[in-house]
Structure formats: C-alpha cells, structure tokens
Amino acid sequence: MEEQSIKLPVFRTFFRAAGFTIWNGWTIFRLTWFPLSLMFLASIIVPLLYLTSVAEYVELPQVEQSIVFQVSSMVLQLIATASAAVAIHRVILFDDRQSGHYFLFAFGRTEFLYLLMAITSVLFTALAAAAVLLPIAVLVSGGDPVNYFNTLIPKPGQDGNTAGSVGHFIAFLFVWIVIVYFMLRISVWPPAVVATNGFALADAWRLTKGNVLRLLGLFLMPMMIVALAAGLAAAYFYSISDKQVIDAPANPPAVEQSAPTLHSAPRLNSWLGLRETFGAALSN
C-alpha cells in the first residue's frame, strides 16, 4: 500500500514560523551570537594571515597558498554555521533552549552530520544541474558543445549567435527548474538531520513528496512581503523627494559671492578644492 504524503499547511506554517522567530528572538540570539561571531572573525582573520608574513612559512606556490587559506576560512565558517544552526533546530524540535548558556559552541556528531549534509546538498544539486545541462548542450550544439559556447561570444562587429543564445537561454531555464525542484525536495533535510541524529536524506525526500508547490509558496511568501515593504518604502521616499522638487522655487535668489577667506571658505568636495581655497585666501 502506497504511503500517503502529508500536505503542508502553507499559511499556518508561515505564521507559526514568523511567531516563533519573534517570540524567541532573545533565545536565538543567545545561542547563536558566539558561533556567528567566530564565523565572522574567521572570514577576516584567515585572509589577513594570508596577506601577512604567515604565508611565507607555507611552502607552496602562491596560487596553492591562496586555495589553502580560502578553504581553511570556508571550513571554519561552515563549522561555526553548523553549530549555530543545530542549536536553533534543537529549540524548534525539542524546545532545548540550553538555559544559562551564553557562550554556546558545540560541535559533535549532529553538527558534523549537519556540515556533511550541507556539503552533500551542494554537490547533489550541482550534479543534478550538470545531468540536465550536458545533454541539452550536446543536442543544441550538434555534438560540439565547446564550439557552441564559443559562438555565443560576440566577435568584433558581430552580434553573436542569436539562435544559439535562445537555445542557451532555454537550456539554463531547464537547469534552474531542476535546481529549484531538487532544493525544494531536500529543503527539510537540515531539521531531519537534527531530529534523527543521522544522515536522513531518505526521510527528507519522503516528507517533501507532493509538497513541492506548497514549499515553493511557503518560501515565496517572505520574499514577497520583503519586496512589498521595500517597494512601499521606495515609493514613500520618492514621493517626498518629488514634493521637494515641486515646491522648490523656479528661480532661487542669487547668493552674493565673496572672495574665500580662511574663516569663510566654501564647501569643499575634494583636495583640489581645499588647495584652491587656501591659495585664494592667502593671496588676499
């Protein structure tokens, strides 16, 4: 007997998530500020170490040195992010608020699995996109995808391969559809890892069965609200600036100009203006 999928209540889930974030803002901050601060420091300190004399002690060519320091910075940031994310998921799933902890930084089995999940999800998404893009590129190019992509680059005095550009757009459209679908199907993978303390990919894939469009609507709702708020704010400030332009006099009264002095210098916009001002003042 086929297992019946659970339908996601989109609006109720959205409002419950928003309410949880608002009412538990202090708890979220208390559990995440320390690992996120470490993540921020890692993103700054590691590049500084590369730019200083520390890099001289790494016996590698310059390109390999850059890769080593960049990967090190990324790994440290991922570890800090996994620690903060697991702490938040434990509050959501188990009401585990870690009361009394203000410098929380945990990295155990669950955090390691969470980190592995994040890396694997990126790899799986890239492989899914490549599996769709490669056959389309070979089909559109007539078996020569390298030459096909070269024709998309406009030559001097040419507009490029217009027909190829359309095919290129269609190919990438299919790729983005696959990427969005795959990301929606594994969107509950992070809480599944924390809930089961395991890899839980099969559980995440099963839970999202039949809910792709509902998940898409759930993720679009906050984006639409933010876009609406930004549009209203932009319209408000635009109306204020437009009103100031309309109310401004058509012929503003002329301001009497006088030679600049050290005590009454005009507004300076550059070092050149500063030099001219002092030069004119000293010549009086």
Side-chain angles (χ1 to χ4, degrees):
M1 183 177 180
E2 185 178 356
E3 184 179 358
Q4 186 176 4
S5 61
I6 301 175
K7 298 302 181 182
L8 177 71
V10 178
F11 291 99
R12 187 172 67 183
T13 303
F14 172 77
F15 287 113
R16 290 185 64 181
F20 173 86
T21 304
I22 294 173
W23 291 111
N24 295 276
W26 165 246
T27 301
I28 294 173
F29 173 78
R30 178 173 57 82
L31 296 177
T32 60
W33 79 268
F34 186 61
L36 293 182
S37 298
L38 294 179
M39 179 192 70
F40 178 72
L41 290 176
S43 66
I44 295 178
I45 294 177
V46 175
L48 288 178
L49 292 177
Y50 171 71
L51 295 175
T52 58
S53 58
V54 176
E56 298 178 359
Y57 298 96
V58 181
E59 297 180 356
L60 289 173
Q62 186 175 3
V63 175
E64 283 76 2
Q65 283 186 15
S66 176
I67 295 175
V68 168
F69 279 93
Q70 290 180 15
V71 171
S72 301
S73 176
M74 182 181 65
V75 170
L76 292 175
Q77 293 179 58
L78 288 175
I79 291 174
T81 304
S83 178
V86 170
I88 295 177
H89 279 98
R90 281 176 174 155
V91 176
I92 300 172
L93 297 169
F94 311 121
D95 199 28
D96 184 8
R97 299 176 179 273
Q98 299 285 339
S99 300
H101 290 81
Y102 296 92
F103 295 87
L104 182 66
F105 184 84
F107 193 82
R109 170 185 168 84
T110 306
E111 287 79 11
F112 174 77
L113 289 173
Y114 196 96
L115 178 62
L116 184 62
M117 175 273 304
I119 297 175
T120 306
S121 62
V122 173
L123 293 177
F124 280 179
T125 304
L127 289 175
V132 176
L133 178 60
L134 185 59
I136 294 178
V138 172
L139 179 64
V140 174
S141 64
D144 190 4
V146 176
N147 183 58
Y148 162 70
F149 284 110
N150 287 334
T151 59
L152 299 179
I153 303 175
K155 303 297 188 300
Q158 299 180 0
D159 295 331
N161 187 354
T162 305
S165 300
V166 174
H168 190 64
F169 170 77
I170 295 174
F172 273 93
L173 180 62
F174 276 106
V175 169
W176 275 110
I177 292 175
V178 172
I179 290 176
V180 171
Y181 174 81
F182 192 82
M183 292 179 66
L184 291 173
R185 288 303 304 268
I186 62 174
S187 58
V188 298
W189 195 4
V193 169
V194 179
T196 62
N197 197 24
F199 202 54
L201 176 58
D203 295 328
W205 195 266
R206 174 178 53 83
L207 289 173
T208 55
K209 181 181 179 181
N211 286 296
V212 172
L213 294 180
R214 293 172 179 266
L215 287 167
L216 180 61
L218 179 62
F219 289 123
L220 287 178
M221 284 182 67
M223 297 173 59
M224 294 173 62
I225 293 174
V226 172
L228 178 61
L232 292 175
Y236 173 73
F237 287 112
Y238 176 79
S239 64
I240 293 177
S241 61
D242 192 46
K243 184 177 183 300
Q244 292 176 349
V245 172
I246 294 175
D247 295 341
N251 297 312
V255 179
E256 184 179 355
Q257 301 291 333
S258 59
T261 64
L262 288 174
H263 301 287
S264 60
R267 181 173 297 177
L268 304 175
N269 295 321
S270 64
W271 288 107
L272 179 60
L274 177 63
R275 186 180 65 181
E276 293 176 349
T277 299
F278 276 85
L282 293 175
S283 63
N284 291 338

